[in-house]
Amino acid sequence: MINDNKHIDRLKTACVSLFFALMCVSCGGTPQPEQTQLSTTSAAPETPAVTDTLSPSESTFIPDSSNVKLIGRTYSENGILWLAQSASGIEFTFRGTKASVDITGDGSVFGKSDSKARFAVYVNGDRVMDEMVEESLKTYDIYTSDEPADVDVRILKLSECANSSFGIKALNVTSENGISPAPEKELKIEFIGDSITCAYGVDDEVKEHHFSTETEDATKSYAYKTAEKLGADYSLVSFSGHGIISGYTSDKKNTEQLVPTFYEKVSRSYGSASAYYDTNAEWDFDKFVPDYIVINLGTNDDSYVKGIQERKDEFSAAYAEFIGQVRKSNPDSYIICALGVMGDGLYPSVENAVSQYISDTGDNMVSAFRLSVQEVFKNGAAADWHPTEATHEIAAEELSEYIESLMKGKVSEAA
């Protein structure tokens, strides 16, 4: 009995030891190698959810063709994008909450108020700002929103180049992914002209008033309106008072204001000496290749020609030479030679120039087009008898219809 009891005690001890061993394993005792691998796998962190949006961050951009669409003739120098020509500017898009622009003025900021540069800012197609550049450097807040949104910003110079320019020094944007150039349009048109193309005085419908950049708005000109009607990108090369053989004059020939002299330059500006940017910079014609070019010159020449046949012949010959100059820089463009809004006295001479040019060169991609003379009693007159916006609208209708007819003719010929 004693031996049997000892045997039973040993069995009880063994069972208790086995029980505690099993309990240690189930309660997280020292793991075996296989258990370490499983434990590591089960403890791996969860993959975070993927999101489609980024947190907006503020960045500063120096505008160039990599991040903005350049409109018209612009010029970069020392990190500043200069705008001089009428309706020149930039357009860009972003998704974000805020945007501002740093604008620097030229020498005109120290001059008279009627010669300072005027510009406008558009956000998603709406004009939200219309300003005169009166300081050497100023930051303009142009957009703000509590939540990120898709935004299109366009900055345009409303006044002409002859009196003043301004530069865009930086764009400050709070966005999810920087800024991008607005898309290019398929059709491109260049307009070469004088004060009519600049929309001289269009915001001052008192004909006895005189020139002021404050009353110029190139977006109300027939040129801008024509481009809008045709859904085209554009470039305006225009100078008030300029002509082919003579600028506006009351007496002797004015050879200081001739468009052919400046056509191959980026611009000319009385308000900007070389201390601001190189006003003698040559324009790179590869930057904007127009399908159509509209020349609207002769109004100022008429103040010198005065119906004198010898001067009419001189004008026709010089006009034909200018067509050749334009063709040299734009070998594939169709050239339209228009005249008429402020008088069509020299239109027959324009027709003669076109006929002579075609005869001499065999180049048939040129034609003359007569625009209707303004009806002052019906549509009024702006400063110094310049066309009102209503008259510009009429000219735009006529010109856009003519260009459309040329486009259809090309399609028919190609077919």
Side-chain angles (χ1 to χ4, degrees):
M1 290 294 294
I2 295 173
N3 290 336
D4 289 340
N5 290 336
K6 288 181 179 180
H7 180 70
I8 292 171
D9 290 339
R10 290 192 187 100
L11 288 174
K12 288 180 178 179
T13 301
C15 289
V16 171
S17 298
L18 178 61
F19 174 77
F20 278 107
L22 291 173
M23 287 295 291
C24 288
V25 171
S26 63
C27 294
T30 303
Q32 299 300 314
E34 293 82 359
Q35 292 173 323
T36 302
Q37 185 177 359
L38 290 173
S39 176
T40 302
T41 302
S42 62
E46 294 184 3
T47 303
V50 177
T51 58
D52 295 329
T53 59
L54 302 172
S55 297
S57 60
E58 185 175 5
S59 300
T60 296
F61 304 89
I62 296 175
D64 59 34
S65 59
S66 71
N67 52 38
V68 301
K69 175 181 177 179
L70 301 176
I71 301 173
R73 295 188 179 186
T74 62
Y75 182 69
S76 292
E77 187 170 283
N78 297 325
I80 298 175
L81 182 70
W82 288 94
L83 308 182
Q85 293 285 357
S86 298
S88 60
I90 63 170
E91 186 174 4
F92 63 94
T93 63
F94 70 96
R95 180 171 179 79
T97 58
K98 189 176 181 182
S100 65
V101 58
D102 298 341
I103 285 182
T104 183
D106 66 1
S108 64
V109 302
F110 306 108
K112 297 185 296 182
S113 61
D114 61 1
S115 293
K116 300 180 189 298
R118 180 184 177 190
F119 74 95
V121 177
Y122 296 81
V123 174
N124 295 333
D126 295 326
R127 185 182 288 194
V128 298
M129 189 174 296
D130 186 336
E131 298 283 339
M132 304 298 293
V133 180
E134 299 181 312
E135 298 180 40
S136 296
L137 182 62
K138 182 177 179 179
T139 298
Y140 296 85
D141 294 324
I142 57 180
Y143 176 79
T144 184
S145 173
D146 292 333
E147 297 294 331
D150 293 322
V151 184
D152 178 280
V153 174
R154 190 159 30 114
I155 301 174
L156 298 180
K157 187 169 186 284
L158 302 181
S159 56
E160 66 177 282
C161 72
N163 292 81
S164 52
S165 307
F166 73 87
I168 300 177
K169 190 171 184 179
L171 299 167
N172 313 296
V173 181
T174 301
S175 63
E176 293 178 352
N177 194 25
I179 63 176
S180 300
E184 299 283 334
K185 297 177 180 177
E186 185 175 351
L187 183 65
K188 292 178 170 54
I189 309 174
E190 179 178 82
F191 298 87
I192 307 169
D194 49 32
S195 58
I196 300 170
T197 304
C198 296
Y200 179 125
V202 71
D203 282 341
D204 181 2
E205 294 190 15
V206 179
K207 61 184 181 298
E208 291 81 14
H209 288 177
H210 303 302
F211 176 83
S212 172
T213 53
E214 292 178 292
T215 62
E216 287 186 307
D217 185 343
T219 68
K220 296 178 181 179
S221 75
Y222 77 92
Y224 186 91
K225 289 176 178 290
T226 297
E228 287 284 289
K229 291 177 185 297
L230 296 174
D233 280 333
Y234 64 84
S235 177
L236 273 60
V237 186
S238 52
F239 317 88
S240 285
H242 288 54
I244 296 285
I245 62 171
S246 176
Y248 183 79
T249 182
S250 59
D251 187 13
K252 62 181 182 179
K253 183 189 291 187
N254 173 5
T255 58
E256 297 297 316
Q257 295 180 307
L258 302 182
V259 173
T261 303
F262 301 100
Y263 176 66
E264 294 168 21
K265 307 290 185 183
V266 173
S267 70
R268 76 171 308 193
S269 179
Y270 308 135
S272 183
S274 59
Y276 297 95
Y277 71 96
D278 183 7
T279 55
N280 292 315
E282 298 286 328
W283 172 242
D284 180 357
F285 284 89
D286 289 333
K287 289 185 175 180
F288 185 84
V289 181
D291 300 288
Y292 294 89
I293 297 175
V294 178
I295 302 173
N296 186 2
L297 292 170
T299 302
N300 292 303
D301 296 274
D302 205 18
S303 68
Y304 165 73
V305 172
K306 292 181 170 66
I308 300 170
Q309 187 60 47
E310 180 182 358
R311 295 180 181 180
K312 286 199 260 184
D313 294 341
E314 179 188 1
F315 172 77
S316 289
Y319 199 117
E321 288 182 13
F322 183 57
I323 296 173
Q325 180 183 351
V326 173
R327 169 62 73 222
K328 180 183 69 173
S329 299
N330 305 275
D332 300 318
S333 305
Y334 190 100
I335 301 173
I336 301 168
C337 302
L339 186 67
V341 175
M342 290 185 71
D344 57 2
L346 278 180
Y347 182 74
S349 298
V350 171
E351 288 184 309
N352 290 339
V354 171
S355 297
Q356 188 61 53
Y357 172 80
I358 294 174
S359 176
D360 291 344
T361 65
D363 180 358
N364 290 310
M365 295 282 286
V366 184
S367 63
F369 180 67
R370 187 194 297 264
L371 291 163
S372 296
V373 177
Q374 62 183 346
E375 297 183 62
V376 175
F377 293 108
K378 180 179 180 181
N379 297 310
D384 282 326
W385 295 86
H386 281 76
T388 60
E389 185 176 4
T391 298
H392 279 289
E393 180 66 28
I394 293 169
E397 287 283 353
E398 295 174 346
L399 188 55
S400 60
E401 287 178 6
Y402 182 64
I403 292 175
E404 283 180 333
S405 71
L406 292 172
M407 294 170 67
K408 291 175 182 177
K410 280 187 174 183
V411 171
S412 300
E413 291 174 6

